Structures are given as structure tokens and as C-alpha cells.
Amino acid sequence: MIKRRLVGGILLLVLALFELLLFITYCVEYLDYSQLTDAVFMSKYLVFMIWSIVLGIIYIATCKRRPVKWQEVTLACITPALTLFTYSSLIAYLPAYNLFRLVLFFLIVFQCLGLPGKNGFKDYPYKDQGHDSQSQGHDSQSIDKLAKLKELLDSGAITQEEFDQEKEKIWK
């Protein structure tokens, strides 16, 4: 399990839901008196919050899988693009509510927390779909399963053919 991704996803989801509550409160109290430009900015802001909720769910759902590089790069590119789209008018239209700015900062931090590094996560390097499975790094669970199979082969409990079939399943 990728704990950093799980923690980042949970924190992102909780904070995005809190931000949604803050957003609704702001809209109810102040949007009646503000200009149309505030409404446009707040609709952009809602898009960013929805993306944060979706990303939190993605992080939680994928915390037990080996990352695929193109998928992670896509997630890493969507967030800054949405941030620029939403906050291009940040100084002019963000409410004087400093809590909005603080929550925004932590949303970005938690989004970054769930992203893998250059080579994937520490225990889960990227899947390399273009190469055979022998060139990939193997996780400790696969190696443990293979060791148990080898013990069964050595004790005579399974045949060499069964061992080879199970070994192929483990490496895939």
C-alpha cells in the first residue's frame, strides 16, 4: 500500500469538502451583493474544488496499485492547468477571506503529496508496459510468493510445470 498516496487522498478529500462548505457559505452571504465578475470567479473556483474531490477519490482508489507513468503525468498536468484557470484572477476576485487562501495552499500541498516521484513510489516503481516483466522491479509480495512456490517445488508438492505456470502469473 502506498501510504503517502492514501494519506494525501484522505486529506485532500476532507479539505476539499471543507472548502466546498466554505464556498457555499460565502456564496449565500456575499454573492447577492457582489458583481458578475465575482460570480464568474466563484464558478471557476467550484471547478477547482470538484477536481480536488475527484483527485482525492482517485488517490484513495489507487493507493494499492503500481502507478503507470502516463496516468500520473496526466494527473500532474491537470492540477496546475486548473489552478491557473481558476486563480488567474486571484488577486482581484478572491474574497478577503484569508481562509480561502490558506485552504488553497493546503489543497495544492495535498495534491502534490499523492503524486509519485521521478521513478514512482519507493515501494512501487512505475509499471513499464513496453518491456517484459523481468526488467521491472518486483515487489516483496511477489518475491515471497515465489519463495513459497520454490519450497513447494523442492518438497515435491507441485511439479515443475505447475511451478512455471504460477511463476508466470506472479510476474504479470
Side-chain angles (χ1 to χ4, degrees):
M1 177 183 299
I2 307 167
K3 293 177 185 168
R4 190 179 89 196
R5 190 165 181 105
L6 178 64
V7 169
I10 291 170
L11 291 173
L12 188 61
L13 193 57
V14 168
L15 191 62
L17 290 172
F18 171 74
E19 187 75 359
L20 187 61
L21 180 65
L22 192 65
F23 170 80
I24 291 169
T25 304
Y26 175 79
C27 287
V28 167
E29 290 179 18
Y30 300 108
L31 205 55
D32 293 340
Y33 306 108
S34 54
Q35 300 172 346
L36 181 61
T37 53
D38 287 342
V40 170
F41 171 74
M42 295 309 280
S43 63
K44 288 179 174 181
Y45 193 67
L46 182 62
V47 169
F48 185 76
M49 282 186 291
I50 291 171
W51 168 249
S52 297
I53 291 169
V54 168
L55 191 60
I57 292 169
I58 289 171
Y59 282 176
I60 292 169
T62 60
C63 70
K64 293 184 180 182
R65 291 194 324 212
R66 187 176 302 273
V68 179
K69 194 166 194 166
W70 71 267
Q71 292 171 344
E72 297 302 324
V73 169
T74 303
L75 290 177
C77 290
I78 290 173
T79 298
L82 278 176
T83 304
L84 288 174
F85 169 75
T86 305
Y87 296 101
S88 59
S89 55
L90 175 68
I91 297 171
Y93 300 116
L94 191 63
Y97 225 17
N98 283 334
L99 191 56
F100 275 97
R101 291 186 182 111
L102 183 64
V103 171
L104 165 68
F105 171 75
F106 281 111
L107 280 174
I108 293 171
V109 167
F110 295 154
Q111 287 176 5
C112 293
L113 181 66
L115 291 174
K118 179 181 174 187
N119 298 319
F121 293 100
K122 182 179 177 184
D123 297 331
Y124 287 89
Y126 285 120
K127 278 186 184 179
D128 192 7
Q129 296 183 352
H131 298 86
D132 63 66
S133 59
Q134 294 297 334
S135 67
Q136 295 180 15
H138 303 293
D139 62 6
S140 60
Q141 290 177 341
S142 299
I143 293 171
D144 291 342
K145 287 180 185 177
L146 190 59
K148 289 177 185 175
L149 277 175
K150 180 65 174 156
E151 289 175 13
L152 290 173
L153 178 65
D154 291 342
S155 68
I158 61 173
T159 65
Q160 181 67 39
E161 291 173 358
E162 293 170 326
F163 174 79
D164 292 337
Q165 289 173 353
E166 291 300 316
K167 180 177 151 184
E168 287 300 316
K169 289 180 187 176
I170 290 172
W171 291 142
K172 288 186 180 182

